[in-house]
Amino acid sequence: MRVVQIGIMGMGTVGSGVYKVLASEGANIAHKEGFKIKIKKVLALDYSIEIPAEKKAKNVEELANDPEIEIVVEVMGGIEPAKSFILKMFKAGKSVVSANKQLISNYWPELEHSAKETGAGFYFEASVGGGIPILRAIEDSLQANTIHSIYAIINGTTNYILTKMSEEGREYGDVLKEAQKLGYAEADPTADVDGFDATYKLSILASMAFHARLPVEYIYREGIRNIIKRDIGYAKELGYEIKLLAIAKRIDNDIELRVHPTMIPFSSPLANVRDSFNAILMNGSAVGDIMFYGRGAGDLPTASAIISDIIYAAQLPQQKYATFENSSGKVSPILSFEKNWETGYYIRLRLLNRPGTLSRVTKVMGDFGISISSVMQKDSQGKYATVLFVTHKAREQDMQNALHVISGLPEVNKVGALIRVEE
Amino acid sequence: MRVVQIGIMGMGTVGSGVYKVLASEGANIAHKEGFKIKIKKVLALDYSIEIPAEKKAKNVEELANDPEIEIVVEVMGGIEPAKSFILKMFKAGKSVVSANKQLISNYWPELEHSAKETGAGFYFEASVGGGIPILRAIEDSLQANTIHSIYAIINGTTNYILTKMSEEGREYGDVLKEAQKLGYAEADPTADVDGFDATYKLSILASMAFHARLPVEYIYREGIRNIIKRDIGYAKELGYEIKLLAIAKRIDNDIELRVHPTMIPFSSPLANVRDSFNAILMNGSAVGDIMFYGRGAGDLPTASAIISDIIYAAQLPQQKYATFENSSGKVSPILSFEKNWETGYYIRLRLLNRPGTLSRVTKVMGDFGISISSVMQKDSQGKYATVLFVTHKAREQDMQNALHVISGLPEVNKVGALIRVEE
């Protein structure tokens, strides 16, 4: 039986997951696929599990120069030295399987160009949605579709925090602290809670789905730090859950790309995606709505995607994810990037509790062409009343302009919240 | 550019869908995949769309004997003549793409054997879950997993009926009539509402997931005809939706296979699968819980899966779905089939409204080792009371035996309903 020898760079959570799954499922994989996968060398600074001494590589050259190693898994994370190491592997003609969303989203053209030079394969299913085979589905199952839109929950940490806030009525800071204790959130949670991680993944996902290079810099980004349990409670009264959504839509040659907290109706299949689960809902021209749901992180789910890529690379060693020309790094001239999208809005205002106030505010919205679908007054005993507005679809710029005027009205004490609504 | 010539047998809803999607997406597919797909011949008794005369085949031999045709799509449905026609194509060395769940689930070994003789490919993604790429995911993305369980909503008609009953508080017969008018249910709805269609699909799905031949005859089957809106209402009070689930579980060498109405908690990702949507929730050893959701039927979604298979067949012409040996038609000796599964139960009884009744009933359950998790009394004004019981996990046979004894008690007027509960 053929033996496919691999190297692994990085031996943290994910690297050890690959090790564990190959140990437990290796025989089944060999039976089904007709070849054995053997880990020949591992390169890491720290080892989270025990690795036999003879498998420990002293430096990256040991992997690059080993002619028996066909495929190298990169699960170090971060830009450097991961990038240099991967480029070395491509130069040596080795296929690379990576889970590194930050690196791939930011350096895709350079990496793809380098892989193509030697005909090496480059696979990164695990970079988006952990164990969910979403990139494979786009490439190998939805070829008959023009993808119209993507709505995705692709950051497990923020979904965990929002789920706990929603189900247990707790505040953001309180849940974040717990998540940090449990290891679900980093000591510095910025990459997750401010939406950076989701923009990396959306860039990769949308580039695959729309067959165009869609860089991270073109994605509007807003995290969940300002979400309070009060708004989650109000959202529920109105029939919505709040989720951090990564959204990509194609409208003619415009592409909207945005990551922000979003109110979605209970009836949406995304509304029931709880805890640290991920889900990607897409709309395709033939298939209609289709959703993929699963574990977006963790040692074993991520290993599931990585090993699937290893098998792919072993069967099909040439560059795979290159069905569109993005090697130049340039964005296609037929695409413009829409920064002025249309969506619904939830606005929470603190208003003077006296006659005429509401009509002043709604008049401004009307002046900007914003149509209101519901108004709900809360806590109106004292001097001030909290008033919630939900609007029909409006242009972002019109809403921002309207809010600028509204916040200057003498009747307006405070603009408490703006949360976008996708029906 | 290479041209892949195909034949289509059957030109009803799905056949015309393939025609339409290739017309609208053909250029994009050629751009992405590097070859054109051309429909050379169509064989049908009726044509639901206009087909140029020169493409209409007079008989099946015209397709089988045309050396230019590489791949033949079978979307006629039913056993014969679909089976004979497919065997003719295999004999001529042509790969076949089929959506025919009834045929495949019942004659898989014979079909696979015939395909292997000439090395023809055999692909049937569209046979389960319509546009959802579930078989591809199992074969090409979840290879590193031992699949533990499958919970699937794979019949759109029954899910549509149950959704309307649940959301609009209507009775089965009323909704069925409407579904028939709208074309969502057949004039003779037996195949859908009695669960036959779901057993065909579960047989294919579970055979792929468990790498073993799991014939339709081994699947316990119960349809939705006896579900009434009252039980749906009670289920909701208890925190459950009722869905027709197709369930497959592996427990050591036992395989449970069953299709029946099932109560699932609101928090399950399957609970939010509404209308005619399908979803398949699986648990894998590495990936954990993973779910695929989308349109399980319809011209364009099914065409999406069929065209994906055509592209697969064109790139990889050899037999694909043959990673386990089931050609003999024999069930693997290492498998037994579990007819005595464990699950939770919801029981609705009509009981005499007098002291001591409840203790008589619960004593019988206790005698059979069945532990009760909740009891709820309803409509207890008159001579009789309706009482709902929800049990912890119990063995099916124990529950059936207990109910047999309970139904003979003088205090018991009627066993109104038994619905299985999966937490």
Side-chain angles (χ1 to χ4, degrees):
Chain A
M1 187 178 277
R2 176 182 165 204
V3 177
V4 174
Q5 313 236 34
I6 68 167
I8 302 182
M9 306 192 294
M11 201 34 79
T13 309
V14 177
S16 63
V18 173
Y19 214 93
K20 281 184 239 170
V21 174
L22 283 178
S24 64
E25 296 284 338
N28 284 335
I29 292 169
H31 177 70
K32 285 183 280 180
E33 307 300 332
F35 54 84
K36 273 186 202 164
I37 299 168
K38 192 187 150 196
I39 299 171
K40 190 169 182 203
K41 288 278 176 193
V42 172
L43 177 70
L45 293 174
D46 296 302
Y47 294 87
S48 58
I49 53 169
E50 229 172 282
I51 305 285
E54 74 275 12
K55 286 191 193 288
K56 292 185 183 175
K58 278 174 206 70
N59 52 48
V60 68
E61 279 72 27
E62 245 187 86
L63 275 71
N65 297 335
D66 188 328
E68 285 187 347
I69 293 178
E70 290 182 44
I71 299 158
V72 175
V73 175
E74 181 273 311
V75 283
M76 310 162 70
I79 303 296
E80 282 297 350
K83 182 168 165 244
S84 312
F85 285 9
I86 288 176
L87 291 174
K88 264 190 223 293
M89 297 308 147
F90 286 148
K91 207 156 198 181
K94 297 185 194 311
S95 291
V96 171
V97 172
S98 171
N100 194 330
K101 59 241 170 193
Q102 189 187 359
L103 176 63
I104 295 160
S105 60
N106 283 290
Y107 294 92
W108 186 334
E110 185 181 346
L111 294 166
E112 183 176 325
H113 182 76
S114 168
K116 278 182 174 165
E117 280 192 331
T118 60
F122 185 30
Y123 306 86
F124 37 88
E125 179 65 75
S127 68
V128 182
I132 305 169
I134 183 64
L135 302 186
R136 189 68 46 80
I138 291 170
E139 279 288 298
D140 284 355
S141 292
L142 301 176
Q143 308 101 316
N145 290 271
T146 297
I147 303 295
H148 298 312
S149 63
I150 299 171
Y151 295 86
I153 295 171
I154 41 178
N155 180 272
T157 304
T158 48
N159 204 55
Y160 176 86
I161 293 172
L162 291 172
T163 302
K164 291 283 165 198
M165 289 176 70
S166 169
E167 294 184 357
E168 298 173 9
R170 292 160 63 193
E171 284 295 3
Y172 167 78
D174 173 28
V175 178
L176 173 62
K177 253 181 231 154
E178 186 195 70
Q180 286 169 322
K181 256 188 219 158
L182 294 169
Y184 294 164
E186 309 275 340
D188 175 2
T190 309
D192 292 316
V193 302
D194 290 329
F196 291 99
D197 178 77
T199 63
Y200 302 150
K201 291 166 177 170
L202 182 61
S203 166
I204 296 169
L205 181 58
S207 293
M208 296 280 291
F210 295 117
H211 304 281
R213 169 134 173 88
L214 305 174
V216 175
E217 310 86 77
Y218 286 76
I219 304 176
Y220 173 82
R221 180 185 51 75
E222 189 181 309
I224 65 162
R225 282 187 204 262
N226 296 324
I227 300 295
I228 60 174
K229 75 174 181 189
R230 224 172 133 201
D231 287 316
I232 291 180
Y234 291 153
K236 278 190 182 175
E237 288 179 37
L238 293 160
Y240 299 99
E241 287 286 350
I242 298 178
K243 297 287 185 187
L244 183 70
L245 286 200
I247 299 170
K249 285 191 213 178
R250 177 166 197 149
I251 296 161
D252 301 323
N253 290 329
D254 277 335
I255 303 266
E256 290 175 29
L257 296 163
R258 42 194 174 106
V259 168
H260 55 62
T262 313
M263 283 172 37
I264 51 173
F266 292 151
S267 61
S268 163
L270 289 168
N272 229 8
V273 176
R274 300 164 64 242
D275 296 329
S276 62
F277 276 94
N278 283 16
I280 299 104
L281 174 65
M282 300 197 291
N283 185 276
S285 55
V287 81
D289 281 349
I290 186 160
M291 189 176 83
F292 302 80
Y293 163 100
R295 291 257 167 229
D299 54 350
L300 304 185
T302 310
S304 172
I306 287 171
I307 293 168
S308 164
D309 270 354
I310 293 170
I311 292 168
Y312 219 80
Q315 290 169 334
L316 189 85
Q318 73 275 27
Q319 168 72 23
K320 174 63 189 169
Y321 293 144
T323 54
F324 55 94
E325 276 304 320
N326 64 14
S327 305
S328 68
K330 281 189 203 131
V331 168
S332 160
I334 64 152
L335 294 178
S336 68
F337 285 83
E338 183 58 78
K339 286 277 180 200
N340 190 18
W341 59 79
E342 275 191 357
T343 185
Y345 293 85
Y346 159 95
I347 310 285
R348 175 167 51 80
L349 300 180
R350 195 155 181 256
L351 302 177
L352 267 185
N353 196 3
R354 72 176 181 214
T357 300
L358 208 57
S359 82
R360 287 287 303 266
V361 171
T362 53
K363 185 182 178 303
V364 175
M365 293 210 196
D367 290 347
F368 282 95
I370 297 163
S371 153
I372 294 166
S373 78
S374 68
V375 180
M376 201 189 275
Q377 186 150 331
K378 296 276 171 195
D379 330 316
S380 56
Q381 298 93 325
K383 190 181 172 196
Y384 295 106
T386 294
V387 183
L388 314 177
F389 299 82
V390 179
T391 77
H392 291 291
K393 271 195 175 183
R395 296 213 71 86
E396 174 80 12
Q397 200 53 61
D398 293 334
M399 178 50 81
Q400 297 292 356
N401 291 341
L403 270 191
H404 183 76
V405 174
I406 287 168
S407 68
L409 292 176
E411 293 89 345
V412 176
N413 177 262
K414 207 177 116 186
V415 176
L418 175 155
I419 300 174
R420 292 162 191 94
V421 181
E422 294 277 338
E423 296 291 343
Chain B
M1 187 177 278
R2 177 182 165 204
V3 176
V4 174
Q5 313 236 35
I6 69 167
I8 303 182
M9 304 192 295
M11 200 35 77
T13 310
V14 177
S16 63
V18 174
Y19 215 94
K20 281 184 238 170
V21 174
L22 282 178
S24 65
E25 296 284 339
N28 284 336
I29 293 169
H31 177 71
K32 285 184 278 179
E33 306 300 332
F35 55 81
K36 272 185 201 163
I37 299 168
K38 192 185 148 195
I39 300 171
K40 188 166 182 206
K41 289 277 176 194
V42 173
L43 178 70
L45 292 175
D46 296 303
Y47 294 87
S48 59
I49 52 170
E50 229 172 280
I51 304 285
E54 75 273 13
K55 285 193 194 287
K56 293 186 182 174
K58 278 174 206 68
N59 52 47
V60 68
E61 278 72 27
E62 247 188 84
L63 275 72
N65 297 335
D66 189 328
E68 286 187 347
I69 292 178
E70 289 183 44
I71 299 158
V72 175
V73 175
E74 182 273 308
V75 283
M76 309 161 69
I79 303 296
E80 283 296 353
K83 181 168 165 245
S84 311
F85 286 9
I86 289 176
L87 291 174
K88 265 189 222 293
M89 297 307 147
F90 286 148
K91 207 155 197 182
K94 297 183 195 314
S95 291
V96 171
V97 172
S98 171
N100 194 331
K101 60 242 170 191
Q102 189 187 359
L103 176 63
I104 296 161
S105 60
N106 283 290
Y107 294 92
W108 186 335
E110 185 181 344
L111 294 166
E112 183 177 323
H113 182 77
S114 167
K116 278 182 175 165
E117 281 193 331
T118 59
F122 186 30
Y123 306 85
F124 37 87
E125 179 64 76
S127 68
V128 182
I132 305 169
I134 182 63
L135 303 186
R136 188 70 43 81
I138 291 170
E139 278 289 297
D140 285 355
S141 292
L142 300 176
Q143 308 102 315
N145 291 270
T146 297
I147 303 296
H148 298 313
S149 63
I150 299 171
Y151 295 87
I153 294 170
I154 41 178
N155 180 271
T157 304
T158 48
N159 203 55
Y160 175 86
I161 293 172
L162 291 172
T163 302
K164 290 284 163 194
M165 289 175 72
S166 169
E167 295 185 356
E168 298 172 11
R170 292 160 63 193
E171 284 295 4
Y172 167 78
D174 173 31
V175 178
L176 173 62
K177 254 180 232 156
E178 185 194 71
Q180 286 169 321
K181 255 188 220 159
L182 294 169
Y184 294 165
E186 309 275 340
D188 175 1
T190 309
D192 293 317
V193 302
D194 289 330
F196 291 98
D197 177 79
T199 62
Y200 302 149
K201 292 165 176 169
L202 182 61
S203 167
I204 297 170
L205 180 59
S207 293
M208 297 281 291
F210 296 118
H211 304 281
R213 167 131 174 90
L214 305 175
V216 175
E217 310 86 77
Y218 287 75
I219 304 176
Y220 173 81
R221 179 184 51 76
E222 189 181 310
I224 66 163
R225 283 187 203 261
N226 296 323
I227 299 295
I228 60 175
K229 74 176 184 189
R230 223 172 135 201
D231 287 317
I232 292 180
Y234 292 152
K236 278 192 181 172
E237 287 178 37
L238 293 160
Y240 299 99
E241 287 286 350
I242 298 178
K243 298 287 187 188
L244 183 70
L245 286 200
I247 300 171
K249 287 192 213 178
R250 178 167 196 147
I251 297 159
D252 301 323
N253 291 328
D254 278 335
I255 303 266
E256 295 175 22
L257 296 163
R258 41 192 172 109
V259 168
H260 55 60
T262 313
M263 283 173 37
I264 51 174
F266 292 152
S267 60
S268 163
L270 288 169
N272 229 7
V273 176
R274 299 165 65 242
D275 297 330
S276 63
F277 276 95
N278 282 18
I280 299 104
L281 175 65
M282 300 197 292
N283 185 275
S285 56
V287 79
D289 280 348
I290 186 159
M291 188 177 83
F292 302 80
Y293 164 100
R295 291 258 167 228
D299 54 350
L300 304 185
T302 310
S304 172
I306 287 172
I307 293 169
S308 164
D309 271 355
I310 293 171
I311 292 167
Y312 219 80
Q315 289 169 333
L316 188 85
Q318 73 276 25
Q319 169 70 26
K320 173 64 188 170
Y321 293 144
T323 54
F324 54 96
E325 275 303 320
N326 65 13
S327 304
S328 70
K330 281 188 204 131
V331 168
S332 161
I334 64 153
L335 294 178
S336 68
F337 286 82
E338 183 60 78
K339 288 277 179 198
N340 191 17
W341 60 80
E342 275 191 359
T343 185
Y345 293 85
Y346 158 96
I347 311 284
R348 173 166 52 80
L349 300 180
R350 194 154 181 257
L351 302 176
L352 267 185
N353 196 3
R354 71 177 183 212
T357 299
L358 208 56
S359 83
R360 289 285 303 267
V361 171
T362 53
K363 184 181 177 306
V364 175
M365 293 209 196
D367 290 347
F368 283 94
I370 297 162
S371 153
I372 294 166
S373 79
S374 68
V375 180
M376 200 188 277
Q377 187 151 329
K378 295 278 170 192
D379 329 318
S380 56
Q381 300 93 321
K383 189 182 173 195
Y384 295 106
T386 294
V387 183
L388 314 177
F389 300 83
V390 180
T391 76
H392 291 292
K393 270 194 176 185
R395 297 213 70 85
E396 175 81 12
Q397 200 56 59
D398 293 334
M399 178 50 79
Q400 297 292 355
N401 291 341
L403 270 191
H404 183 76
V405 174
I406 287 168
S407 67
L409 293 175
E411 292 89 345
V412 176
N413 177 261
K414 206 178 117 186
V415 176
L418 175 155
I419 301 173
R420 294 163 187 92
V421 181
E422 294 279 337
E423 295 291 342

